[in-house]
Amino acid sequence: MSALDALQDAAERRWVAGWLEGPTWTRYDALPVQPGDAAPDLELPDTSGSKRHLSEYWSAGTAVLIFLRHFGCSCLAERWETLQADLPALAGAGATVVAVCQAEPERALAVATRRGYPFPLLCDPERRAYRAYGLLEGQPAQIVHDFDWKPGDLETAQTMFLGPRRGTERAVVDSPWQLPGEFVVGRGGRIVLAHRYQYCEDFPPRTVMLGAIAAASAP
């Protein structure tokens, strides 16, 4: 087994453990960061393993900071389709896009290369940045909607997810419950927009993102 295969296998086991247990962080103990607050500036490795501060991306202008679902999620595939169409407009408005994923650098690099992600991809397997930005785990209704999920349901995990998806772009990995989010951060590090997904497909419209970028650039 290659090192990359070993990482993929470990990520699948984390998904299974999370699926069987269910979400564990579904409500706030304190108010999360919101517009007007300083954006948390964590240091995370990029796909080469080099450590990068989030503040690098808003030091010279506005940043769009995107927190991704796990790589096997069909909702992430849908968001990538819409985001590809939006990227030129976001760049034209003066924003730098950077994304955060749950994978280690080796897995993140493989996925970013296959899919052609044109933005920097930072790695947060411990999900420290997800928590710092107040991104909860979704309850079953937010993630699997009307599917009758039950804790400990290994049979469904094996028949619906592991078997059919293993070895494909939709292979399940990392947290099955982590909700994504998208933030617009102005130069100097103040949050202008905090879009925390309320369900898997809760993609922010391009017009909302462009409006926030314009507000971040206003004198």
Side-chain angles (χ1 to χ4, degrees), residues 15 23 35 72 212:
W15 184 93

Side-chain angles (χ1 to χ4, degrees), residues 24-168:
T24 59
W25 192 50
T26 58
R27 53 180 292 151
Y28 296 114
D29 302 315
L31 192 67
V33 293
Q34 55 189 315
D37 289 342
D41 182 19
L42 287 79
E43 186 180 56
L44 301 172
D46 62 18
T47 54
S48 73
S50 299
K51 296 292 183 68
R52 308 293 296 269
H53 282 278
L54 292 177
S55 58
E56 294 177 35
Y57 301 97
W58 59 70
S59 61
T62 302
V64 174
L65 178 60
I66 301 176
F67 288 85
L68 305 179
R69 278 276 290 160
H70 73 77
F71 285 145
C73 179
S74 58
C75 303
L76 173 56
E78 292 176 29
R79 180 54 179 139
W80 173 223
E81 289 181 6
T82 62
L83 188 59
Q84 286 184 86
D86 292 349
L87 285 173
L90 300 182
T96 297
V97 174
V98 58
V100 178
C101 69
Q102 301 176 45
E104 309 84 6
E106 296 88 344
R107 282 196 297 131
L109 176 60
V111 170
T113 301
R114 286 198 310 271
R115 297 182 182 177
Y117 290 166
F119 40 73
L121 187 58
L122 305 184
C123 303
D124 186 21
E126 296 176 351
R127 292 186 286 155
R128 295 184 299 114
Y130 286 80
R131 284 185 171 262
Y133 279 79
L135 295 171
L136 297 171
E137 292 179 320
Q139 300 183 60
Q142 294 170 280
I143 302 298
V144 294
H145 306 324
D146 60 349
F147 176 80
D148 187 22
W149 175 86
K150 294 180 176 63
D153 185 1
L154 182 59
E155 180 180 358
T156 295
Q158 292 174 330
T159 59
M160 288 188 62
F161 297 102
L162 299 177
R165 296 195 188 186
R166 188 177 285 127
T168 75

Side-chain angles (χ1 to χ4, degrees), residues 79 82 86 181-182 193 195 197 201-209:
R79 180 54 179 139
T82 62
D86 292 349
E182 305 192 21
L193 174 72
H195 180 83
Y197 285 37
E201 307 92 339
D202 186 18
F203 313 136
R206 179 193 306 186
T207 51
V208 171
M209 303 300 286

